Amino acid sequence: MSAQTDSPAKASGESIEQFGYKQELRRGMTLRDVVLYGVLFMVIIAPQSIYGEIQIASGGMTPLVYIVGFVAISFTAMSYMRMSKRFPIAGSVYSYVQRGINPHVGFMAGWLILLDYVFVPSLLLVMVANWGVALVPGSPWYLWVAVFVVFNTFVNIRGIQMTKGVDWVIFVVEILAVIAFIAIGTSFVLGGGGAGQLTIDPIYQPGKVDAHFIATAVSIACLSFLGFDGMSTLAEETVKPEKTIGKGILIALCIMVVVFVAQTYVAALIQPDVSQVDPEMGFFNAALMAGGPVLYKLLLVVNIVAVGIANIMNAQLASSRLLYSMGRDGVIPRIFGKVHPKFQTPYIASIALGVVSLILPMFLDMTTLVAFVNFGALSSFVLLNFAVFLFFFVKEKKRSSFGDVVKYLICPWLGIFILVYVFTGFDLQTYAVGISWMVVGLIIGAVKSKGYKEVPEAFKHLEV
């Protein structure tokens, strides 16, 4: 199949009629709102829950792992920037691959990333429920799940304005917690505790950084930045999305790598002996050493609130917009494309996600959920990078300058190679889950398109 793609937007990206749709969602998000959404989706304090495992695997250089991961994932982030500028519509990778390659491959990209978007709230809920029971021993595990699902679903249905308000509260709480940890931890080290001084050991240790370290770091840290892609699902609720979304992705990623490196650097200084690091509670134990039980419990509470509300809420928000985009195209039941008449939100999609998030944690463990999320995200990223190459470099022939070659040939293919390498590190369960999901998608796609011969109404103008 070949596709004649949409012409470049001459008007603002807010005029989505040029892409075959009408404006239904409430537009009002600014660059600041988009960046805030992104950093909360990726979770400012994300390293705290997995610090111990990374610190052990990296030989004490967790900050360097995040720096390497940031560089690696940046190639895919740039592909998102290119596509969000050309196609400022909801649907993210689903919409981009539709127009960059063809509608059928676009459906598969959307189907694959559903593994990430639909299952990541359940993964986060399992984490939060585990922390909740640790914080309040004897409390019902499932009650933690139910409370956070109901609250986040309610806020998402009410709309972006309410979501923004909650986001700002959580953002302030997270930032204050990080500042407190860095200040207390630095004071502890300079006072003679831990490493006893500021050193570069957590960032670089001679003789330990080689090709194997870089490869391991990429496979670990790339997954820590998942969530930046969700920012592109907000295009139809953002002011001047063709400029705002791409810029927001870049700013959010830069903020995240700085915050990730800062807090893990201090944690590494507090407990420099890697052999003593607990793989599950490493960061919290560092907080206990530097600030005592008060800081330890504070960080645990902040993690529960930040992940349980901001992270899950934004994950559900992105997921509902993806379902909305696919629903209005008719590639999944059109009921997912229904918009609330008052709140202007895809409320059916939000409710459906809430129900799924209530059910899945009862049947799937964290290992299985991680397998779903990782396979879905990375496989769809590969398709996105290829779409950038095919659309800009091949179809539009943007290769007259060295800058074009870098943007549309070198960067997307580097993104593909890095992602394929990360794929080689997955276990058999991840492959089994991912391939099974892909097969189901291929069957559904064949049925919906009558053997891949028909395309959604919004794409009738494309040549098949």
Side-chain angles (χ1 to χ4, degrees), residues 115-434:
L115 272 174
D116 176 9
Y117 283 13
V118 172
F119 287 87
V120 75
S122 297
L123 171 62
L124 297 171
L125 284 164
V126 171
M127 293 171 56
V128 169
N130 290 340
W131 291 336
V133 173
L135 182 67
V136 186
S139 58
W141 183 89
Y142 190 70
L143 179 61
W144 290 93
V145 173
V147 168
F148 283 112
V149 168
V150 171
F151 176 79
N152 289 323
T153 302
F154 170 76
V155 173
N156 272 319
I157 291 174
R158 288 298 301 271
I160 288 292
Q161 295 303 317
M162 187 172 187
T163 303
K164 287 195 298 185
V166 175
D167 279 352
W168 274 109
V169 173
I170 303 300
F171 175 74
V172 171
V173 170
E174 286 189 72
I175 285 295
L176 290 177
V178 170
I179 292 173
F181 173 79
I182 292 175
I184 294 171
T186 302
S187 177
F188 173 78
V189 172
L190 294 179
Q197 60 180 337
L198 303 181
T199 72
I200 65 168
D201 287 350
I203 298 176
Y204 179 74
Q205 296 177 27
K208 291 187 177 181
V209 180
D210 53 18
H212 175 71
F213 176 90
I214 297 298
T216 303
V218 167
S219 64
I220 293 173
C222 268
L223 303 177
S224 297
F225 290 98
L226 293 184
F228 74 88
D229 51 296
M231 299 166 70
S232 60
T233 65
L234 304 178
E236 292 177 33
E237 293 158 278
T238 301
V239 177
K240 296 182 179 178
E242 73 281 7
K243 298 179 180 179
T244 303
I245 297 297
K247 187 183 297 184
I249 288 174
L250 179 62
I251 294 173
L253 279 172
C254 289
I255 291 173
M256 296 310 289
V257 70
V258 171
V259 177
F260 283 2
V261 168
Q263 58 190 304
T264 54
Y265 173 75
V266 173
L269 293 179
I270 294 172
Q271 194 173 28
D273 186 352
V274 178
S275 66
Q276 300 299 312
V277 174
D278 184 328
E280 294 184 0
M281 298 295 288
F283 195 95
F284 299 106
N285 287 343
L288 183 63
M289 292 172 62
V294 173
L295 184 60
Y296 173 86
K297 291 184 177 180
L298 172 65
L299 291 182
L300 196 56
V301 170
V302 170
N303 271 269
I304 292 173
V305 173
V307 175
I309 297 179
N311 195 200
I312 294 175
M313 181 188 301
N314 289 328
Q316 285 186 267
L317 183 67
S319 303
S320 64
R321 272 53 181 178
L322 175 61
L323 290 174
Y324 163 75
S325 183
M326 297 178 76
R328 70 180 175 184
D329 284 346
V331 297
I332 61 175
R334 290 189 179 276
I335 191 172
F336 290 108
K338 289 183 69 67
V339 174
H340 195 284
K342 178 179 179 181
F343 303 125
Q344 293 180 264
T345 57
Y347 70 106
I348 298 296
S350 296
I351 293 172
L353 285 166
V355 173
V356 169
S357 298
L358 273 174
I359 296 172
L360 290 181
M362 293 190 292
F363 301 101
L364 300 178
D365 58 21
M366 284 189 63
T367 301
T368 304
L369 289 167
V370 167
F372 272 106
V373 171
N374 289 346
F375 190 97
L378 298 191
S379 56
S380 61
F381 288 176
V382 170
L383 290 175
L384 171 76
N385 279 300
F386 184 74
V388 170
F389 160 73
L390 185 65
F391 179 78
F392 291 105
F393 192 80
V394 177
K395 295 179 180 178
E396 292 205 330
K397 296 181 171 57
K398 288 185 176 295
R399 46 181 184 250
S400 59
S401 68
F402 178 71
D404 285 343
V405 172
V406 170
K407 288 189 293 185
Y408 306 124
L409 174 65
I410 297 176
C411 284
W413 276 103
L414 280 174
I416 290 172
F417 292 144
I418 289 169
L419 293 166
V420 169
Y421 173 78
V422 176
F423 255 105
T424 64
F426 288 162
D427 57 23
L428 291 177
Q429 178 177 323
T430 301
Y431 289 126
V433 165

Side-chain angles (χ1 to χ4, degrees), residues 7-89:
S7 60
K10 293 183 174 61
S12 167
E14 296 177 16
S15 303
I16 65 171
E17 289 80 6
Q18 63 187 305
F19 303 111
Y21 304 116
K22 62 179 181 178
Q23 184 69 44
E24 295 181 293
L25 305 180
R26 180 174 296 166
R27 195 181 293 277
M29 296 192 74
T30 63
L31 176 61
R32 183 180 66 175
D33 298 323
V34 170
V35 171
L36 176 64
Y37 170 88
V39 298
L40 287 174
F41 197 163
M42 288 183 276
V43 190
I44 293 172
I45 55 176
Q48 297 182 14
S49 60
I50 57 175
Y51 166 80
E53 294 180 4
I54 298 180
Q55 184 72 345
I56 294 171
S58 65
M61 291 181 283
T62 299
L64 180 59
V65 168
Y66 280 116
I67 293 172
V68 171
F70 167 76
V71 174
I73 205 66
S74 291
F75 296 107
T76 296
M78 285 188 279
S79 288
Y80 267 95
M81 292 169 63
R82 313 287 181 227
M83 284 303 209
S84 66
K85 182 177 182 180
R86 178 58 65 88
F87 304 111
I89 51 178

